[in-house]
Amino acid sequence: LHPVSRMAAAAGDGGKHRGMDEALDCAVCLGTLESGCRLPCKHVFCRACILQSMKRQSLTHGSCPLCRAPANVYTIQDIASGDFLAKPEVSSLYGLIFVQGGGLGVASYHFDAEDDCYISYAQAPDSWIRDDGSPMPEKQPFVNPSWEEETHTFRGSILWEVSVHGESRWDYEIIFAEDFFAVVGGQVICGSQTHRFGLDVQDPQTNLKYLRWTAPPTSMFGSVYVQGFVYEGFLEGIASYHFESEDNCYISYANAPPGWRLDDGSLPPERKSFAETSYDSSTRTFRGTVRWNPSFNSATRWEYEMVFADDFDHIVQGAFRSFREDGSALPQMGFGDPTLGTRELGCLYYVRKPGVLMMSPQIAALLE
């Protein structure tokens, strides 16, 4: 049998013949299994192969590369030991907060305790009002909340004394990831309308995207910034800025469009390090230089100045200057504030990758 056919046949026996796993081929590398791992769908892969394959999606919210069934490091088993590759660092819903792009208090979900779950509108825009023109309440409790541990599903209702958009009742079903990093499914029914939860940016029916809130950092080191007004995973590697540590800052071109070429026709490197870096913590200002040989869009030197927001959620201002080999300047660009919601010509906009999506040391260790 072809390796894929052999694996599919083994999956059909429900994994009863455990000894067969070791004899099968890996559908990623097509070689004999090395440190074999079994997914919930019963397909098996080399440990290194499945981790690298899922790294391109998400180690904590991915899928089988063969059948696309949901899988992650918390549900993948080591065949030899039977142990899962990792254990979730967060194991309870209570004490957690989940936010949309607007952050805390902008329809954020708070699960303080089993009998204290609510939606916060404490920082909601002034335009968010109830049907009588009154502002949204700072705290609107869920009624009849329930939690189903096996499926990680929360259910509850919001009852409005004063209707909102013509509705007085919203019924929620919220499904969380194994490690509670995000809401990964479910829906809210508001009368005749249904709004779905999820993370798939390509799915037009998924219009509610919630991530677990984490406290803001005290510097940009340890963070990733992508172009745009809202973080999306596919933007990483398209001239994203990575500040791993004070002495390890770089631009990533790992997912750059194929048309992005250096002036000799070669592709830009996956990582291009900042040189001559400095950081002023009092003004939250980073400075660095990038040198190109061969040149990039006629430039051999880029000079950066980036000023970060006080919570390091985004870059608020700064300058990007580029120079030819003879020292003459090319057109300058600036950094704009993405929270203003307006795009100006000649401005770059960068937002921070949410902290909950940054790879934890436990997960990073799996890739070493």
Side-chain angles (χ1 to χ4, degrees):
L1 288 174
H2 185 276
V4 171
S5 300
R6 292 170 62 189
M7 291 182 65
D13 74 359
K16 296 175 183 176
H17 303 293
R18 177 169 168 175
M20 289 183 63
D21 292 333
E22 288 82 347
L24 296 176
D25 296 329
C26 170
V28 174
C29 69
L30 304 183
T32 302
L33 281 180
E34 293 187 13
S35 302
C37 291
R38 184 189 298 109
L39 277 59
C41 58
K42 307 303 181 186
H43 290 133
V44 293
F45 302 89
C46 299
R47 179 188 177 101
C49 290
I50 188 59
L51 288 175
Q52 287 301 319
S53 175
M54 291 187 63
K55 182 183 178 183
R56 290 190 286 270
Q57 313 170 52
S58 168
L59 290 173
T60 59
H61 184 61
S63 61
C64 172
L66 194 59
C67 69
R68 314 313 300 173
N72 55 61
V73 291
Y74 310 117
T75 61
I76 297 175
Q77 286 182 296
D78 178 86
I79 291 173
S81 67
D83 294 334
F84 294 110
L85 297 188
K87 290 184 178 181
E89 295 179 7
V90 177
S91 58
S92 173
L93 172 66
Y94 301 109
L96 304 182
I97 302 170
F98 292 81
V99 297
Q100 300 185 89
L104 287 174
V106 185
S108 51
Y109 300 158
H110 297 245
F111 302 93
D112 291 355
E114 290 186 36
D115 58 354
D116 189 13
C117 304
Y118 60 93
I119 304 177
S120 173
Y121 295 99
Q123 301 298 324
D126 292 339
S127 59
W128 288 19
I129 57 175
R130 291 179 281 190
D131 291 345
D132 66 352
S134 60
M136 300 294 280
E138 289 197 4
K139 180 176 178 179
Q140 184 68 20
F142 282 103
V143 176
N144 299 323
S146 67
W147 171 246
E148 188 177 281
E149 179 67 32
E150 183 178 354
T151 60
H152 274 210
T153 301
F154 171 88
R155 293 180 178 88
S157 298
I158 295 292
L159 304 180
W160 297 104
E161 291 184 5
V162 177
S163 61
V164 177
H165 301 305
E167 304 295 343
S168 59
R169 181 187 180 107
W170 297 352
D171 291 315
Y172 282 81
E173 178 184 78
I174 308 174
I175 303 172
F176 297 89
E178 279 87 356
D179 60 354
F180 295 96
F181 87 94
V183 175
V184 295
Q187 61 188 16
V188 53
I189 300 175
C190 308
S192 60
Q193 295 189 341
T194 299
H195 305 279
R196 301 189 184 281
F197 292 97
L199 296 177
D200 188 355
V201 296
Q202 307 299 327
D203 183 357
Q205 294 185 332
T206 300
N207 49 18
L208 293 173
K209 299 176 176 65
Y210 275 79
L211 296 175
R212 174 163 51 87
W213 178 81
T214 57
T218 56
S219 82
M220 81 285 188
F221 296 115
S223 296
V224 174
Y225 293 80
V226 302
Q227 294 195 65
F229 289 78
V230 177
Y231 174 82
E232 298 290 0
F234 67 86
L235 296 172
E236 280 194 50
I238 306 178
S240 51
Y241 301 154
H242 297 244
F243 301 95
E244 294 194 358
S245 63
E246 291 191 35
D247 57 358
N248 186 15
C249 305
Y250 61 90
I251 306 173
S252 173
Y253 294 100
N255 294 312
W260 287 18
R261 301 277 174 160
L262 304 184
D263 292 340
D264 68 348
S266 62
L267 293 170
E270 288 199 359
R271 292 188 178 194
K272 186 65 176 178
S273 296
F274 286 103
E276 304 161 23
T277 59
S278 66
Y279 177 63
D280 184 339
S281 60
S282 64
T283 60
R284 302 182 304 280
T285 301
F286 171 86
R287 294 180 177 87
T289 301
V290 172
R291 299 185 182 278
W292 293 102
N293 184 18
S295 58
F296 197 176
N297 292 333
S298 302
T300 59
R301 186 174 87 255
W302 291 351
E303 294 182 357
Y304 284 87
E305 180 180 272
M306 307 176 196
V307 181
F308 294 84
D310 55 5
D311 62 356
F312 295 93
D313 180 68
H314 53 280
I315 298 173
V316 292
Q317 63 184 39
F320 165 64
R321 305 176 181 89
S322 55
F323 301 87
R324 298 183 182 89
E325 187 173 9
D326 63 6
S328 59
L330 290 160
Q332 177 178 319
M333 298 185 73
F335 288 93
D337 186 343
T339 63
L340 300 179
T342 57
R343 185 182 295 274
E344 295 185 16
L345 189 65
C347 272
L348 300 168
Y349 298 90
Y350 275 78
V351 295
R352 179 176 176 265
K353 180 178 184 176
V356 73
L357 297 181
M358 296 297 292
M359 194 176 296
S360 70
Q362 177 193 195
I363 303 301
L366 293 174
L367 300 173
E368 296 178 353

